[in-house]
Amino acid sequence: MTRPTLFGVALDPLTMDETVQRCLDAVRRGEQIEIGMVNAAKLVNMRRDPALAAAVAGCDLVLADGQAVVWAGRFLGVRLPERVAGIDLFMRLLAAAEVADIPVYLLGARQEVLEMMLGQISERFPELRVAGSRNGYFDDSEQQEVADAVAGSGARLLFLGMTSPKKEIFTAGYGKRTGAHVVHGVGGSFDILAGITRRAPLAWQRMGLEWFYRTLQEPRRLGRRYLTTNAAFLAMTVRELIHRTPSAASANRSHR
């Protein structure tokens, strides 16, 4: 299947169900796949950070995590069937792993948040086999050691609850070394599952206002960031539309 490109990034036009099945197939076949998630902010930051852009581009699956990405795709003639939110994929894979007895590793967040999340997971998925866990506070010099610990645990699914670009850089450099069949960066999902932050109601998600809901919770930290990246993403979309749409003069010349 040909991967469509949006803002120069090749995306996989998969539904949530198709993505979950692709991950389970990788475990069954013994393949290794790394998942990259993009939203409006990350696509903007990829323009500014070549290392982040290269790390995402190197992933085996690149999915539209943000509703704004799906809408921009439709506006620009790039078909993306639906948003595949990172946290929703995380929960779906945990549920599937519990049923299929697939061991998982949870890497990220502060230690106290990680422990709170593990408690929530044990309640929601009592039969889930957690092969190991570690907080996300480690130096770059420790990345190989961390990857080897994941490999030694025998985990087949690795979830990274770390911020960008740390999780993408770790995935690009050491994802294969972990031995996990699926590496999925879930960002702030650990905080949400632990109950530290609240996720936007479904209606807000459908309207593409999850970012605004988060801003209301942390206005000082996130307000300026989201305002800046959203404006930049809108400008990117307009420029892309102009680039993709031939001018009237060019169209007339092509018909002479």
Side-chain angles (χ1 to χ4, degrees):
M1 179 174 61
T2 302
R3 302 169 82 190
T5 60
L6 185 65
F7 306 115
V9 179
L11 299 174
D12 291 275
L14 301 177
T15 64
M16 176 65 76
D17 288 344
E18 290 169 340
T19 303
V20 172
Q21 190 58 55
R22 177 72 180 85
C23 292
L24 295 178
D25 287 345
V27 174
R28 179 172 54 83
R29 296 169 182 167
E31 300 173 356
Q32 286 188 295
I33 62 172
E34 298 168 355
I35 299 175
M37 312 296 290
V38 294
N39 55 23
K42 190 176 295 183
L43 285 169
V44 169
N45 290 331
M46 285 168 65
R47 292 283 179 96
R48 304 166 177 169
D49 186 343
L52 173 61
V56 172
C59 289
D60 303 285
L61 290 180
V62 182
L63 306 166
D65 175 50
Q67 187 60 47
V69 178
V70 176
W71 286 341
R74 291 174 184 170
F75 189 63
L76 297 169
V78 177
R79 180 188 172 275
L80 298 170
E82 65 181 16
R83 176 193 185 199
V84 180
I87 186 170
D88 293 333
L89 179 59
F90 177 33
M91 299 305 290
R92 286 283 301 271
L93 290 175
L94 287 179
E98 180 184 35
V99 172
D101 193 31
I102 300 171
V104 307
Y105 197 104
L106 300 148
L107 173 61
R110 302 191 310 274
Q111 185 62 35
E112 59 270 27
V113 174
L114 178 64
E115 291 172 2
M116 292 170 66
M117 184 197 64
L118 289 170
Q120 290 294 321
I121 284 179
S122 68
E123 290 184 13
R124 294 194 191 194
F125 310 102
E127 301 302 319
L128 178 67
R129 185 147 56 105
V130 177
S133 64
R134 190 198 192 285
N135 68 61
Y137 287 79
F138 52 87
D139 294 331
D140 290 348
S141 61
E142 299 177 274
Q143 290 185 98
Q144 181 174 315
E145 178 185 336
V146 171
D148 288 342
V150 177
S153 76
R156 294 294 169 256
L157 301 179
L158 169 61
F159 301 103
L160 304 176
M162 301 184 290
T163 59
S164 294
K166 184 172 183 176
K167 65 177 180 292
E168 288 84 5
I169 298 302
F170 178 83
T171 298
Y174 295 93
K176 294 291 190 290
R177 189 181 182 98
T178 66
H181 292 152
V182 177
V183 181
H184 175 26
V186 301
S189 298
F190 285 15
D191 285 357
I192 294 174
L193 196 55
I196 301 299
T197 58
R198 299 186 306 277
R199 193 179 182 193
L202 189 58
W204 289 56
Q205 296 176 41
R206 288 172 175 168
M207 291 187 293
L209 293 175
E210 200 161 6
W211 65 271
F212 186 56
Y213 190 85
R214 285 196 63 203
T215 300
L216 293 177
Q217 294 182 67
E218 300 181 80
R220 289 188 177 182
R221 187 174 76 86
L222 299 177
R224 182 182 294 273
R225 181 194 304 178
Y226 278 127
L227 182 63
T228 302
T229 55
N230 285 352
F233 183 73
L234 180 60
M236 279 172 55
T237 304
V238 172
R239 284 196 299 269
E240 186 75 7
L241 178 65
I242 294 172
H243 177 73
R244 291 179 180 228
T245 304
S247 67
S250 298
N252 288 337
R253 282 196 298 271
S254 67
H255 286 90
R256 287 177 184 174

PDB file of all heavy atoms in Angstrom, residues 29 48 58 95 143 146 186 191 196 222 225 244:
ATOM      1  N   ARG A  29       4.279 -12.918  14.460  1.00  0.00           N
ATOM      2  CA  ARG A  29       5.286 -13.275  13.462  1.00  0.00           C
ATOM      3  C   ARG A  29       6.714 -13.077  13.966  1.00  0.00           C
ATOM      4  O   ARG A  29       7.674 -13.459  13.291  1.00  0.00           O
ATOM      5  CB  ARG A  29       5.092 -12.419  12.208  1.00  0.00           C
ATOM      6  CG  ARG A  29       3.766 -12.657  11.498  1.00  0.00           C
ATOM      7  CD  ARG A  29       3.551 -11.597  10.441  1.00  0.00           C
ATOM      8  NE  ARG A  29       2.272 -11.743   9.759  1.00  0.00           N
ATOM      9  CZ  ARG A  29       1.720 -10.811   8.972  1.00  0.00           C
ATOM     10  NH1 ARG A  29       2.351  -9.662   8.784  1.00  0.00           N
ATOM     11  NH2 ARG A  29       0.564 -11.026   8.393  1.00  0.00           N
ATOM     12  N   ARG A  48      11.501  22.093  12.592  1.00  0.00           N
ATOM     13  CA  ARG A  48      12.558  22.833  13.295  1.00  0.00           C
ATOM     14  C   ARG A  48      13.662  21.915  13.830  1.00  0.00           C
ATOM     15  O   ARG A  48      14.741  22.393  14.182  1.00  0.00           O
ATOM     16  CB  ARG A  48      11.946  23.603  14.471  1.00  0.00           C
ATOM     17  CG  ARG A  48      10.809  24.539  14.082  1.00  0.00           C
ATOM     18  CD  ARG A  48      10.037  24.993  15.307  1.00  0.00           C
ATOM     19  NE  ARG A  48       8.981  25.944  14.973  1.00  0.00           N
ATOM     20  CZ  ARG A  48       8.031  26.343  15.814  1.00  0.00           C
ATOM     21  NH1 ARG A  48       8.021  25.874  17.052  1.00  0.00           N
ATOM     22  NH2 ARG A  48       7.104  27.204  15.423  1.00  0.00           N
ATOM     23  N   GLY A  58      11.775   7.359  10.337  1.00  0.00           N
ATOM     24  CA  GLY A  58      12.335   6.013  10.375  1.00  0.00           C
ATOM     25  C   GLY A  58      11.426   4.976  10.995  1.00  0.00           C
ATOM     26  O   GLY A  58      11.758   3.779  11.003  1.00  0.00           O
ATOM     27  N   ALA A  95      -5.271  -4.169  26.641  1.00  0.00           N
ATOM     28  CA  ALA A  95      -6.387  -5.115  26.721  1.00  0.00           C
ATOM     29  C   ALA A  95      -6.091  -6.371  25.900  1.00  0.00           C
ATOM     30  O   ALA A  95      -6.338  -7.499  26.348  1.00  0.00           O
ATOM     31  CB  ALA A  95      -7.674  -4.445  26.241  1.00  0.00           C
ATOM     32  N   GLN A 143      21.002   5.079  27.928  1.00  0.00           N
ATOM     33  CA  GLN A 143      19.998   4.532  27.025  1.00  0.00           C
ATOM     34  C   GLN A 143      20.250   3.060  26.677  1.00  0.00           C
ATOM     35  O   GLN A 143      19.315   2.251  26.651  1.00  0.00           O
ATOM     36  CB  GLN A 143      19.930   5.370  25.741  1.00  0.00           C
ATOM     37  CG  GLN A 143      19.334   6.746  25.933  1.00  0.00           C
ATOM     38  CD  GLN A 143      19.166   7.485  24.622  1.00  0.00           C
ATOM     39  OE1 GLN A 143      18.097   7.516  24.023  1.00  0.00           O
ATOM     40  NE2 GLN A 143      20.254   8.073  24.153  1.00  0.00           N
ATOM     41  N   VAL A 146      19.289   0.862  29.583  1.00  0.00           N
ATOM     42  CA  VAL A 146      17.833   0.765  29.703  1.00  0.00           C
ATOM     43  C   VAL A 146      17.278  -0.194  28.650  1.00  0.00           C
ATOM     44  O   VAL A 146      16.427  -1.046  28.942  1.00  0.00           O
ATOM     45  CB  VAL A 146      17.189   2.154  29.570  1.00  0.00           C
ATOM     46  CG1 VAL A 146      15.667   2.037  29.470  1.00  0.00           C
ATOM     47  CG2 VAL A 146      17.570   3.042  30.749  1.00  0.00           C
ATOM     48  N   VAL A 186       3.886   6.752  24.009  1.00  0.00           N
ATOM     49  CA  VAL A 186       2.546   7.182  24.406  1.00  0.00           C
ATOM     50  C   VAL A 186       2.532   8.539  25.108  1.00  0.00           C
ATOM     51  O   VAL A 186       1.488   8.975  25.606  1.00  0.00           O
ATOM     52  CB  VAL A 186       1.872   6.114  25.297  1.00  0.00           C
ATOM     53  CG1 VAL A 186       1.770   4.795  24.551  1.00  0.00           C
ATOM     54  CG2 VAL A 186       2.626   5.919  26.612  1.00  0.00           C
ATOM     55  N   ASP A 191       0.592   9.804  32.772  1.00  0.00           N
ATOM     56  CA  ASP A 191       0.032  10.774  33.715  1.00  0.00           C
ATOM     57  C   ASP A 191      -1.491  10.698  33.748  1.00  0.00           C
ATOM     58  O   ASP A 191      -2.108  10.813  34.809  1.00  0.00           O
ATOM     59  CB  ASP A 191       0.462  12.190  33.329  1.00  0.00           C
ATOM     60  CG  ASP A 191       1.911  12.485  33.676  1.00  0.00           C
ATOM     61  OD1 ASP A 191       2.564  11.611  34.272  1.00  0.00           O
ATOM     62  OD2 ASP A 191       2.390  13.575  33.344  1.00  0.00           O
ATOM     63  N   ILE A 196      -3.092  11.865  37.262  1.00  0.00           N
ATOM     64  CA  ILE A 196      -2.419  13.136  37.519  1.00  0.00           C
ATOM     65  C   ILE A 196      -3.030  14.249  36.669  1.00  0.00           C
ATOM     66  O   ILE A 196      -3.237  15.371  37.133  1.00  0.00           O
ATOM     67  CB  ILE A 196      -0.902  13.027  37.237  1.00  0.00           C
ATOM     68  CG1 ILE A 196      -0.280  11.944  38.124  1.00  0.00           C
ATOM     69  CG2 ILE A 196      -0.207  14.371  37.449  1.00  0.00           C
ATOM     70  CD1 ILE A 196      -0.401  12.215  39.606  1.00  0.00           C
ATOM     71  N   LEU A 222       1.366  25.568  29.118  1.00  0.00           N
ATOM     72  CA  LEU A 222       0.965  25.128  27.781  1.00  0.00           C
ATOM     73  C   LEU A 222       0.333  26.210  26.912  1.00  0.00           C
ATOM     74  O   LEU A 222       0.270  26.048  25.697  1.00  0.00           O
ATOM     75  CB  LEU A 222      -0.024  23.953  27.902  1.00  0.00           C
ATOM     76  CG  LEU A 222       0.493  22.701  28.595  1.00  0.00           C
ATOM     77  CD1 LEU A 222      -0.609  21.668  28.716  1.00  0.00           C
ATOM     78  CD2 LEU A 222       1.683  22.123  27.848  1.00  0.00           C
ATOM     79  N   ARG A 225       2.687  27.760  24.289  1.00  0.00           N
ATOM     80  CA  ARG A 225       3.166  26.701  23.408  1.00  0.00           C
ATOM     81  C   ARG A 225       2.102  26.313  22.375  1.00  0.00           C
ATOM     82  O   ARG A 225       2.374  26.251  21.179  1.00  0.00           O
ATOM     83  CB  ARG A 225       3.559  25.473  24.224  1.00  0.00           C
ATOM     84  CG  ARG A 225       4.091  24.322  23.374  1.00  0.00           C
ATOM     85  CD  ARG A 225       4.156  23.023  24.137  1.00  0.00           C
ATOM     86  NE  ARG A 225       4.934  23.110  25.354  1.00  0.00           N
ATOM     87  CZ  ARG A 225       5.094  22.093  26.197  1.00  0.00           C
ATOM     88  NH1 ARG A 225       4.507  20.920  25.952  1.00  0.00           N
ATOM     89  NH2 ARG A 225       5.812  22.240  27.287  1.00  0.00           N
ATOM     90  N   ARG A 244       0.041  23.078  -3.567  1.00  0.00           N
ATOM     91  CA  ARG A 244      -0.615  21.982  -4.285  1.00  0.00           C
ATOM     92  C   ARG A 244      -1.605  22.464  -5.329  1.00  0.00           C
ATOM     93  O   ARG A 244      -1.967  21.709  -6.217  1.00  0.00           O
ATOM     94  CB  ARG A 244      -1.350  21.069  -3.294  1.00  0.00           C
ATOM     95  CG  ARG A 244      -0.430  20.274  -2.394  1.00  0.00           C
ATOM     96  CD  ARG A 244      -1.216  19.417  -1.416  1.00  0.00           C
ATOM     97  NE  ARG A 244      -0.306  18.662  -0.545  1.00  0.00           N
ATOM     98  CZ  ARG A 244      -0.429  17.363  -0.299  1.00  0.00           C
ATOM     99  NH1 ARG A 244      -1.397  16.670  -0.834  1.00  0.00           N
ATOM    100  NH2 ARG A 244       0.425  16.753   0.497  1.00  0.00           N
TER     101      ARG A 244
END
